[in-house]
Amino acid sequence: MPAVTVENPLTLPRVAAPAEAVARPVLAVTTAPSGFEGEGFPVRRAFAGINYRHLDPFIMMDQMGEVEYAPGEPKGTPWHPHRGFETVTYIIDGIFDHQDSNGGGGTITNGDTQWMTAGSGLLHIEAPPESLVMSGGLFHGLQLWVNLPAEDKMMAPRYQDIRGGNVQLLTTPDGGALLRVIAGELDGHAGPGITHTPITMIHATLAPGAEITLPWREDFNGLAYVLAGRGSVGAERRPIHLGQTAVFGEGGSLTVRADEQQDSHTPDLEVVLLGGRPIREPMAHYGPFVMNTKDELMQAFEDFQKGRLGTIPAVHGMTGEGPQS
């Protein structure tokens, strides 16, 4: 980890927060509980226990793996519906296939991202390809759910295939960190992801002892989740390690540091930085649907049960109203 890198970060554009930027304090550091998703792949629930007012517009995020599968072990999810939000699947190591009832789909691997806007609703499936199931191997990724405002919840579904080679690569003044801007922008450098809800998504790799202080939009929230390694966050140097999320308060910059000593199997600190403009609308969330009211949730379930969210493509040998809940 990770797949998208450069030999010399100092060849990249450099980013640093202006000296007058107000540093964001660390409000909390939480530890993700572990569980299982889909057909049984292990996940860490990155946002568990965090008040939604600090997450908005993000809903949930799962770290999938890191796991070394034996032959026959790789697992995915069965066909299932979504409505009212966007799913962002980022693969760091391994390979994953996606297909949906709106015609979107493809294979992502080693730094690729799939951005699916469910909008008014669709069915989709995510699974390792048969070759990985047969051979086994390393698998590690993230899935992030991003809310949509009420005016966009029933928009037409959309699918984006973002290749790792297209992300915007940046570094810090001393070259101690590699910053991958997947969506949104950082100091005027834009990532390839097209978002309906204004957000920034960055995967940062910090060498041992490195520190980043980045400009951060004051109208965005700020979150940092550790994929691997250990370090500290904020001017107060609050300790943080694998599976923990830092929630930042208000301000114009945020700071992350890597410890001088990392674990033997983790040479660097790997962090996902997230920021978004809060939607500040009522949210009704149940299972695969994220709406504004309970009545809208009930309508989503009814539409799914009556086959209005699409049908499973015939190539899978199933037609009709889709899977039963």
Side-chain angles (χ1 to χ4, degrees):
M1 179 174 67
V4 181
T5 188
V6 294
E7 288 188 12
N8 183 7
L10 289 174
T11 61
L12 302 172
R14 305 180 196 187
V15 176
E20 66 273 14
V22 175
R24 287 177 174 245
V26 178
L27 302 181
V29 173
T30 63
T31 301
S34 298
F36 293 91
E37 186 56 78
E39 296 174 338
F41 59 84
V43 299
R44 287 185 175 93
R45 308 289 191 189
F47 295 161
I50 301 175
N51 190 298
Y52 181 64
R53 66 189 175 90
H54 298 309
L55 298 177
D56 185 13
F58 307 109
I59 301 164
M60 58 154 278
M61 185 168 72
D62 285 345
Q63 180 181 9
M64 305 179 293
E66 180 178 14
V67 59
E68 183 75 40
Y69 282 122
E73 284 187 343
K75 298 176 175 66
T77 67
W79 282 92
H80 59 283
H82 286 308
R83 171 180 281 180
F85 65 102
E86 300 182 290
T87 65
V88 182
T89 306
Y90 175 50
I91 297 300
I92 300 165
D93 287 299
I95 187 168
F96 225 34
D97 286 340
H98 167 100
Q99 187 175 10
D100 65 53
S101 57
N102 193 53
T107 299
I108 53 174
T109 183
N110 297 348
D112 298 337
T113 302
Q114 290 177 335
W115 202 293
M116 187 187 77
T117 304
S120 60
L122 44 61
L123 309 177
H124 82 140
I125 186 171
E126 297 160 306
E130 185 177 355
S131 59
L132 180 62
V133 175
M134 296 294 291
S135 66
L138 184 63
F139 183 80
H140 190 196
L142 284 178
Q143 185 166 98
L144 172 71
W145 289 15
V146 185
N147 202 4
L148 290 170
E151 63 182 8
D152 291 331
K153 283 194 177 294
M154 296 299 286
M155 66 175 293
R158 183 180 65 184
Y159 178 82
Q160 299 176 68
D161 188 3
I162 303 170
R163 293 294 149 182
N166 293 331
V167 302
Q168 175 68 62
L169 299 180
L170 306 169
T171 191
T172 47
D174 64 359
L178 178 61
L179 310 171
R180 303 164 195 80
V181 184
I182 297 168
E185 69 172 26
L186 181 64
D187 197 29
H189 301 277
I194 301 171
T195 70
H196 289 283
T197 302
I199 72 165
T200 295
M201 180 179 181
I202 297 167
H203 175 192
T205 299
L206 285 72
E211 175 178 305
I212 58 175
T213 297
L214 304 178
W216 210 251
R217 282 181 50 167
E218 294 192 12
D219 60 334
F220 277 20
N221 61 355
L223 302 162
Y225 176 75
V226 178
L227 291 164
R230 57 185 64 249
S232 61
V233 286
E236 56 269 54
R237 293 180 177 257
R238 186 90 171 260
I240 192 169
H241 58 74
L242 166 65
Q244 292 189 315
T245 301
V247 179
F248 290 91
E250 296 181 354
S253 71
L254 56 79
T255 297
V256 179
R257 301 172 188 84
D259 284 355
E260 294 281 354
Q261 299 294 324
Q262 296 293 328
D263 300 332
S264 59
H265 64 282
T266 305
D268 302 306
L269 174 65
E270 304 284 350
V271 182
V272 172
L273 303 173
L274 296 169
R277 190 171 67 203
I279 295 173
R280 295 192 177 94
E281 293 177 349
M283 184 181 71
H285 172 203
Y286 189 82
F289 306 123
V290 182
M291 305 303 293
N292 293 103
T293 68
K294 289 184 178 180
D295 286 345
E296 290 172 344
L297 276 183
M298 293 174 63
Q299 184 64 55
F301 275 102
E302 179 181 334
D303 289 347
F304 167 56
Q305 291 167 350
K306 293 186 176 179
R308 296 171 184 154
L309 300 192
T311 57
I312 296 173
V315 67
H316 284 264
M318 298 177 65
T319 59
E321 296 183 351
Q324 298 302 306
S325 60

